[in-house]
Amino acid sequence: MSRMHVAVNCTNLEKSLKFYKSFFGKEPTKVKENYAKFELDEPALHFSLNVRPFNEKGVLNHLGFQVNRTEDVIKMGERLREDGLILIDEMNTTCCYAVQDKVWVYDPDGNAWEIFYTKEDSEFESVGEARDLSLCCAPSSPQPINFISFDKK
């Protein structure tokens, strides 16, 4: 296997393309009327957007990238903020039976993305404030989702 593949349904391809161009820091390799594809080398990922209706919760839990150091989390968070995306920081948090440093961002359809570094394993699923564990340990998305400005150029 050379790439992980993730396919995500979206409601507005143009808005989703703007988000993912910023999120990945890359241009898509293919764009059609109802489809777009990104082929990333680092990390090895084949990511596609499909314009299709879906339930509010859908079957997707969340997506993410595990990085090698806390510094990588911070660096990616800074790049995403510079592109105008709103992030939720969670440093030194216990989530999914691990102690992690992470940032979260939500795409225009509410799909949660985390960039995380795992410091160590934990005996506990989550520690601290009560969370909605239906999305692993993802914090609630800021409302409304469409607050993100993509007009920055």
Side-chain angles (χ1 to χ4, degrees), residues 59-119:
V59 296
L60 181 64
N61 185 287
H62 71 275
L63 304 158
F65 293 118
Q66 183 173 16
V67 296
N68 296 321
R69 311 172 308 194
T70 295
E71 293 79 11
D72 297 333
V73 173
I74 294 167
K75 183 177 177 181
M76 186 153 183
E78 288 171 352
R79 183 180 67 76
L80 295 172
R81 281 187 180 89
E82 286 172 7
D83 281 348
L85 302 181
I86 307 287
L87 277 72
I88 299 168
D89 292 311
E90 288 190 323
M91 297 297 170
N92 206 38
T93 188
T94 299
C95 173
C96 302
Y97 300 96
V99 179
Q100 301 173 334
D101 288 334
K102 64 174 73 184
V103 294
W104 290 94
V105 65
Y106 289 80
D107 78 3
D109 289 304
N111 292 304
W113 279 89
E114 67 175 327
I115 294 87
F116 68 98
Y117 168 66
T118 300
K119 296 175 171 185

Side-chain angles (χ1 to χ4, degrees), residues 37-53:
K37 175 176 72 171
F38 291 84
E39 292 180 318
L40 307 176
D41 294 323
E42 185 61 36
L45 174 67
H46 175 278
F47 180 83
S48 63
L49 294 163
N50 302 277
V51 180
R52 293 198 176 100

Side-chain angles (χ1 to χ4, degrees), residues 111-151:
N111 292 304
W113 279 89
E114 67 175 327
I115 294 87
F116 68 98
Y117 168 66
T118 300
K119 296 175 171 185
E120 61 187 54
D121 286 336
S122 171
E123 301 271 332
F124 307 99
E125 183 173 14
S126 178
V127 174
E129 63 189 66
R131 298 177 183 272
D132 174 7
L133 295 177
S134 65
L135 244 182
C136 181
C137 298
S140 297
S141 112
Q143 297 295 327
I145 296 294
N146 63 359
F147 67 95
I148 299 170
S149 171
F150 291 107
D151 297 330

